[in-house]
Amino acid sequence: MSQQSKPAPHGWLLLDKPRGLGSTQAVGLVKRVLRQGGYAKTKVGHGGTLDPLAEGVLPIALGEATKLAGRMLDSDKIYEFTIQFGEQTDTLDTEGEVVHRSDRRPPIAAIAAVLEHFSGEIEQAPPAFSAIKVGGKRAYDLARAGEEVEMKTRQVTIHDLRLLAEREDAALRSSFATTSGRPDPYDPQAPLELADCVTLIAHVSKGTYIRSLARDIAHALGTVGHVTYLRRVKAGPFREDQAISLDSAEEIAKGAPIENLLLPLEAGLDDIPVLPLDPDSAQAVRQGRVLSDLPPVHGEWADGLHLAKLGNTPVALMELEGGSAKVVRGFNLSDVAE
């Protein structure tokens, strides 16, 4: 094992999590590569669970960035997912046992039309196989024990829901079953084009279960279905084109500098304005003191959450109101060069 001589890193490792790996396992993997790479003991957490059967963007918080993991859990997410029509499983994905079957397949035109009914604020019942607690126990533990689990509905927001973009149209067409090729959609005599499965993209609020959304879409189309593919392409401000593979992460254990892979702590706060500090005010903030008599910007105070920084170093998240600022969350990064 390498001698632990490097300081603990602070920031985000954005993993492109493969199918089959759990979020907790991903955290364990990062802890291991940091240890083997010679870094001091580092706090590690993740910014939003992905089921083992799901893949895609998994933000891993390191050091002081773990203080922002809760904000990441509350952020919006974007997913691509495929619904296979005709079978519903108890887990609502490919891991479970089939509990309902249907010979009905929805017309393509009906799919596009029904998506409008799942936009905006909707009521959704989470899957029985989920980590939600029911009577003090995890729902999936009760479901696996064969108990009937009644899941209460909750309100979630679907910001956008649509068929996969036209760039994927060729692949999408291959999943459609037709009687004689692809018919002219404007020909009233043309046979209905039916979908055996469909791939959608959804921009959703926290707490939204894609497996439940797929189930409910299938029911609205007069059939049943389950998720066969699920990929998170965006989590809060983090995009899939920023994500690294597990192989890249493993290079840290072999001595690759983590700076080449690490996103800064403030990358998770790209929608929050910066409050510049001078050394004296930075010292006051680090002591938890309230800053008063802040000057207005363009004649008015910019109330709300701000990221207070001394030079390039994040000092704290602060709530501004009427020219005063109080600390919401401080960062212990005074050792970073300013």
Side-chain angles (χ1 to χ4, degrees):
M1 183 181 295
S2 302
Q3 184 179 2
Q4 293 187 344
S5 57
K6 304 174 188 175
H10 304 279
W12 300 91
L13 275 181
L14 197 60
L15 291 187
D16 190 338
K17 188 190 84 66
R19 187 181 176 107
L21 183 73
S23 299
T24 302
Q25 290 175 297
V27 168
L29 180 147
V30 171
K31 286 182 177 179
R32 174 180 59 77
V33 300
L34 289 174
R35 184 173 64 250
Q36 293 177 347
Y39 291 91
K41 187 175 181 180
T42 305
K43 291 181 181 179
V44 182
H46 65 74
T49 301
L50 268 182
D51 291 341
L53 291 181
E55 60 184 63
V57 176
L58 179 62
I60 302 292
L62 307 183
E64 291 296 285
T66 57
K67 295 177 178 179
L68 301 175
R71 285 183 53 83
M72 201 56 54
L73 294 174
D74 290 341
S75 65
D76 291 350
K77 314 290 193 302
I78 298 180
Y79 297 91
E80 291 179 0
F81 62 105
T82 298
I83 309 172
Q84 175 69 50
F85 297 116
E87 293 183 339
Q88 180 174 315
T89 65
D90 52 8
T91 59
L92 303 180
D93 59 20
T94 57
E95 191 175 40
E97 300 291 329
V98 175
V99 291
H100 299 293
R101 285 188 170 87
S102 173
D103 293 331
R104 300 188 66 176
R105 298 294 182 272
I108 296 170
I111 296 173
V114 82
L115 296 185
E116 297 179 7
H117 299 287
F118 290 91
S119 296
E121 293 184 352
I122 65 171
E123 292 290 324
Q124 181 185 80
F129 283 83
S130 64
I132 294 174
K133 286 191 175 181
V134 178
K137 296 182 179 180
R138 298 291 184 185
Y140 54 65
D141 287 332
L142 298 173
R144 286 170 183 159
E147 295 187 32
E148 191 73 25
V149 184
E150 182 178 350
M151 305 300 293
K152 294 182 179 179
T153 62
R154 56 172 60 183
Q155 190 174 78
V156 298
T157 302
I158 311 298
H159 299 290
D160 187 52
L161 178 63
R162 54 189 167 83
L163 294 166
L164 201 61
E166 284 300 312
R167 62 184 172 85
E168 303 288 350
D169 192 53
L172 191 61
R173 291 179 192 178
S174 68
S175 70
F176 292 149
T178 67
T179 56
S180 57
R182 187 172 177 83
D184 180 354
Y186 296 101
D187 180 0
Q189 302 302 317
L192 278 178
E193 189 174 15
L194 305 178
D196 189 54
C197 61
V198 67
T199 300
L200 307 173
I201 185 164
H203 176 191
V204 303
S205 70
K206 70 170 183 176
T208 303
Y209 279 89
I210 298 298
R211 288 177 290 149
S212 293
L213 183 60
R215 172 200 62 202
D216 296 343
I217 289 171
H219 288 177
L221 290 165
T223 185
V224 294
H226 66 282
V227 171
T228 58
Y229 166 77
L230 177 59
R231 178 173 178 80
R232 187 157 67 193
V233 298
K234 195 168 186 286
F238 297 125
R239 309 180 311 273
E240 64 178 336
D241 60 3
Q242 299 172 292
I244 63 171
S245 67
L246 293 188
D247 287 343
S248 295
E250 288 284 0
E251 292 300 313
I252 298 170
K254 302 173 185 177
I258 196 171
E259 294 77 16
N260 295 343
L261 303 173
L262 193 67
L263 297 175
L265 176 149
E266 57 265 39
L269 301 169
D270 69 343
D271 59 338
I272 295 178
V274 171
L275 174 66
L277 302 176
D278 58 33
D280 288 340
S281 58
Q283 180 64 20
V285 169
R286 285 172 175 149
Q287 293 172 352
R289 290 154 53 190
V290 174
L291 299 183
S292 302
D293 301 322
L294 295 174
V297 178
H298 304 303
E300 61 182 30
W301 286 284
D303 290 350
L305 199 63
H306 286 62
L307 174 62
K309 296 179 72 174
L310 175 60
N312 293 322
T313 302
V315 177
L317 277 178
M318 304 193 74
E319 186 72 30
L320 271 67
E321 184 176 359
S324 295
K326 64 179 181 179
V327 176
V328 175
R329 177 74 72 177
F331 302 117
N332 186 22
L333 295 172
S334 55
D335 56 328
V336 178
E338 295 159 356

